[in-house]
Amino acid sequence: MAGPTTQEPLKTQQKCIAIFALMCCFAVLMVLIFSSVDVWGDDEDGITEENCSNDCRIVLVENIPDDLSLLVDGRHHFPLSVGFHTLLDQAKHSVEVVSPVWDLNSWDLETMASTAKQGQLLFQRLLSLKSRGVKLKISSSVTNSAELKTLAAHNAEVHFVNMTAFTRGGLHSSFWIVDRKHIYIGSAAMDWRSLSKRKELGVMVYNCSCLGLDLHRVFSFYWQLHDRDYIPSIWSKRVTALYGKHNALELQLNATWATAYVSTSPELFCTKDRTRDVDAISQVIQSAKTFIFISVTDYLPLVSRSFRGTSVTRYWSPIDEVIREAVVVRGVRVRLLISFWKKTHPLTFNFVTSLKSLCMHLHNCSLEVKFFSHNKEQKDDVQHGLNHNKYVVTDSALYVGNHDWVGSDFAINAGVGLMVKMKNNLTDSRLSILEQVKAAFERDWRSRYAKSLQGSKNQESKYRNLQQAKIQMEIKEENNPLSL
Ligand SMILES: *[C@@H]1O[C@H](CO)[C@@H](O)[C@H](O)[C@H]1NC(C)=O
Ligand SMILES: *[C@@H]1O[C@H](CO)[C@@H](O)[C@H](O)[C@H]1NC(C)=O
Ligand SMILES: *[C@@H]1O[C@H](CO)[C@@H](O)[C@H](O)[C@H]1NC(C)=O
Ligand SMILES: *[C@@H]1O[C@H](CO)[C@@H](O)[C@H](O)[C@H]1NC(C)=O
Ligand SMILES: *[C@@H]1O[C@H](CO)[C@@H](O)[C@H](O)[C@H]1NC(C)=O
Ligand SMILES: *[C@@H]1O[C@H](CO)[C@@H](O)[C@H](O)[C@H]1NC(C)=O
């Protein structure tokens, strides 16, 4: 048979052609990938991580609603609205804003009067950026927002991030970058409530192009998600994190040496070298030696995800775990201030009771939990005096973020956080940002709005009230106590 000998060269030829074609395809593919990658990320104005400024000023900003009577220390306390206006005063080239909500103009007649003024003022200032030649860029997952349309008509560039397509979550991130050198990160959104009825806390960092550069990379990432419904597996170097848990930025905050970095979530949004929010929080808790003060709206170590219409709930341990270890193993004093409001999940009480019971019969052990609640009855949708803070402060570090400490939030919602660790201990930097945030925490903790779950006799009735409310909530949850 001659078959094998005559067909052999033919086969090799075919193989060659096939390989050549494959290589061509591969080359074209590579060109395509790299050209698309090049489009990702944009210019960084000549400032690099080598020559960025790390001699920064940090300012604590808070919104304390008028109807909460909290003693505010005027020397160190800056109203949030003043902070936003100061940032806008500094703007020369660009203002970049990410916010979960765009609702600065309240149309509610009852609240139109005085309380909503701050929101309107801020909106007007954002509109007027155009006349000063300052570019306004906004990343948002809000569709059909009249305010975004108005801003877009006034020269703002608005990019839409379809969170539904990525994680079925929400864009909860809330931050500002001004001229790539001044930043804001905190609990407040572009919502008139954040500037009036809700208690918010955040930080502004000025003259800090190193942090500005890095946070801008997070912004660039959102910016590039515009009109996409997938996250590419290859990233431009321009969205790679500059700093993180293992290579934090060394900087001066009001002449005090510290390290800092920006963290993000969900994991899908953590580009190369970017530290996850959960890991930043864990680092803050694990580095504490004497105290850990936590202030969040909700605390719930559960993750709930829906698959094909059914909801699957899992225990989510990372933060719960490090708190338990700090309390029991290292003898660190922990205080947890949680909001008690209409959306408090009933299982919150079970989880905090479990945490508290850890200290039973232990000498050097202290874990206290209080619920922050405004006494005023909540009739309308507006939650008066809600403590919307999301931070943890310890003897050596601070984390201010956008998420409540609920597993599902970290798993599917986008958020950012700022981790700051002081180089020296508190005793030699009396006026450090840690001292100020700690003072804010203690003010809230000692206020009449913070209620313990247990203790003296009159506390007991409060506990019963909480229990009663809890039962009412369980009834409202309609046979599905685990729904989040
Ligand atoms: C920072 O360095 C880059 C590249 O090394 C340079 O192009 C830029 O002009 C520098 N910027 C400043 C403000 O010195
Ligand atoms: C977002 O993505 C989802 C799922 O891919 C899609 O159904 C929806 O239409 C998108 N929304 C917008 C506003 O593009
Ligand atoms: C930032 O630096 C500039 C120039 O060094 C200075 O004029 C300004 O006061 C600083 N801003 C703050 C908030 O410290
Ligand atoms: C545990 O003991 C250390 C050293 O005696 C002390 O400084 C610390 O305050 C104690 N912690 C608690 C929670 O009592
Ligand atoms: C804290 O600061 C004081 C005063 O500078 C110093 O004496 C002490 O050793 C420091 N403690 C730690 C743990 O760094
Ligand atoms: C840092 O300096 C600024 C401006 O001088 C001041 O407003 C702010 O309160 C200071 N922050 C801290 C933590 O001392």
Side-chain angles (χ1 to χ4, degrees):
M1 294 269 270
T5 45
T6 51
Q7 265 173 17
E8 208 62 60
L10 199 68
K11 256 194 187 162
T12 336
Q13 209 177 358
Q14 278 172 343
K15 258 189 205 159
C16 278
I17 290 169
I19 289 173
F20 182 70
L22 268 176
M23 276 170 71
C24 282
C25 283
F26 187 67
V28 168
L29 203 67
M30 289 313 275
V31 166
L32 276 177
I33 286 173
F34 281 103
S35 62
S36 75
V37 161
D38 237 25
V39 177
W40 286 70
D42 59 348
D43 239 11
E44 289 186 339
D45 284 353
I47 302 276
T48 66
E49 52 191 300
E50 276 82 39
N51 58 16
C52 60
S53 158
N54 64 351
D55 185 1
C56 318
R57 310 232 151 251
I58 188 162
V59 178
L60 171 67
V61 286
E62 279 190 281
N63 185 60
I64 309 281
D66 285 341
D67 50 3
L68 285 185
S69 55
L70 291 172
L71 216 65
V72 174
D73 178 358
R75 276 173 307 155
H76 305 302
H77 167 91
F78 261 80
L80 179 67
S81 52
V82 174
F84 282 138
H85 287 290
T86 311
L87 274 180
L88 290 175
D89 290 341
Q90 309 268 323
K92 292 194 179 67
H93 313 287
S94 66
V95 174
E96 292 159 325
V97 180
V98 181
S99 168
V101 177
W102 280 91
D103 194 11
L104 287 168
N105 297 294
S106 158
W107 301 115
D108 178 4
L109 284 178
E110 232 182 289
T111 52
M112 270 294 265
S114 62
T115 52
K117 271 240 172 61
Q118 286 302 336
Q120 287 163 3
L121 275 174
L122 188 59
F123 188 70
Q124 291 307 321
R125 285 219 59 194
L126 289 173
L127 281 180
S128 69
L129 284 176
K130 181 192 176 185
S131 62
R132 286 165 49 197
V134 176
K135 262 197 281 179
L136 175 60
K137 288 176 155 190
I138 296 167
S139 267
S140 165
S141 65
V142 183
T143 49
N144 297 326
S145 156
E147 290 188 3
L148 285 182
K149 278 180 191 147
T150 309
L151 286 166
H154 283 74
N155 246 16
E157 271 186 87
V158 180
H159 275 195
F160 172 70
V161 180
N162 189 350
M163 287 301 294
T164 312
F166 302 127
T167 59
R168 293 166 191 268
L171 188 78
H172 288 189
S173 313
S174 191
F175 63 88
W176 284 39
I177 310 158
V178 172
D179 292 346
R180 311 256 168 100
K181 63 180 177 189
H182 316 297
I183 66 166
Y184 158 79
I185 293 182
S187 61
M190 293 298 100
D191 184 339
W192 64 271
R193 296 166 193 86
S194 285
L195 299 165
S196 58
K197 310 212 153 190
R198 248 171 15 200
K199 192 169 151 305
E200 311 271 8
L201 182 143
V203 290
M204 312 254 167
V205 187
Y206 295 98
N207 282 346
C208 206
S209 51
C210 291
L211 274 184
L213 210 58
D214 201 24
L215 191 56
H216 176 71
R217 289 182 168 210
V218 178
F219 185 83
S220 284
F221 175 82
Y222 294 162
W223 197 247
Q224 305 300 334
L225 294 180
H226 185 52
D227 279 345
R228 283 180 192 254
D229 54 8
Y230 67 96
I231 306 265
S233 49
I234 302 175
W235 287 105
S236 156
K237 273 196 210 139
R238 291 197 176 134
V239 293
T240 299
L242 291 174
Y243 314 105
K245 191 176 168 182
H246 300 294
N247 61 328
L249 165 70
E250 304 223 343
L251 79 174
Q252 275 184 290
L253 294 171
N254 289 30
T256 307
W257 280 102
T259 57
Y261 60 84
V262 170
S263 60
T264 61
S265 45
E267 201 159 349
L268 186 64
F269 279 25
C270 290
T271 54
K272 189 164 180 291
D273 298 338
R274 182 67 67 196
T275 302
R276 299 184 304 165
D277 281 321
V278 182
D279 294 330
I281 291 171
S282 300
Q283 189 187 15
V284 168
I285 291 175
Q286 284 169 330
S287 66
K289 294 203 167 59
T290 56
F291 71 87
I292 298 167
F293 294 165
I294 297 161
S295 183
V296 287
T297 310
D298 296 311
Y299 180 86
L300 192 67
L302 291 179
V303 171
S304 215
R305 305 200 72 158
S306 55
F307 295 106
R308 298 193 189 99
T310 56
S311 169
V312 180
T313 301
R314 279 189 299 111
Y315 173 55
W316 183 83
S317 63
I319 294 180
D320 222 41
E321 234 167 66
V322 288
I323 292 177
R324 283 167 196 268
E325 185 187 57
V327 170
V328 176
V329 181
R330 304 204 308 278
V332 180
R333 189 159 53 106
V334 174
R335 285 179 171 174
L336 197 53
L337 186 61
I338 304 168
S339 299
F340 179 69
W341 64 310
K342 63 179 182 192
K343 288 192 182 160
T344 302
H345 193 284
L347 282 177
T348 305
F349 302 99
N350 302 65
F351 282 111
V352 301
T353 308
S354 151
L355 274 178
K356 279 164 67 80
S357 69
L358 272 176
C359 280
M360 222 182 342
H361 308 311
L362 281 181
H363 278 309
N364 199 311
C365 190
S366 164
L367 190 147
E368 298 162 275
V369 181
K370 283 191 182 180
F371 286 86
F372 192 97
S373 142
H374 195 5
N375 302 328
K376 214 159 148 181
E377 239 344 281
Q378 309 299 329
K379 288 191 198 78
D380 45 8
D381 246 8
V382 181
Q383 193 84 22
H384 293 265
L386 172 68
N387 184 24
H388 198 238
N389 295 351
K390 291 137 192 9
Y391 67 85
V392 51
V393 63
T394 74
D395 45 279
S396 61
L398 165 71
Y399 170 89
V400 178
N402 299 148
H403 282 322
D404 280 312
W405 290 14
V406 174
S408 300
D409 272 34
F410 292 101
I412 61 170
N413 295 331
V416 308
L418 178 67
M419 195 310 296
V420 173
K421 195 167 189 310
M422 299 325 264
K423 284 233 160 156
N424 301 310
N425 56 36
L426 272 183
T427 47
D428 55 334
S429 52
R430 283 267 170 93
L431 289 174
S432 84
I433 185 74
L434 297 191
E435 199 59 68
Q436 290 180 17
V437 177
K438 181 182 175 230
F441 180 90
E442 286 176 328
R443 172 203 65 207
D444 297 346
W445 184 262
R446 295 203 195 103
S447 75
R448 66 171 112 136
Y449 309 109
K451 290 145 195 164
S452 296
L453 269 184
Q454 49 148 245
S456 62
K457 257 187 189 160
N458 65 11
Q459 296 280 14
E460 226 168 74
S461 67
K462 281 174 187 162
Y463 177 63
R464 265 203 303 278
N465 288 342
L466 289 177
Q467 284 289 336
Q468 214 111 64
K470 173 195 151 190
I471 289 160
Q472 278 166 9
M473 262 185 296
E474 272 172 334
I475 293 166
K476 266 194 218 157
E477 296 278 331
E478 286 171 21
N479 306 334
N480 189 4
L482 283 182
S483 75
L484 290 180

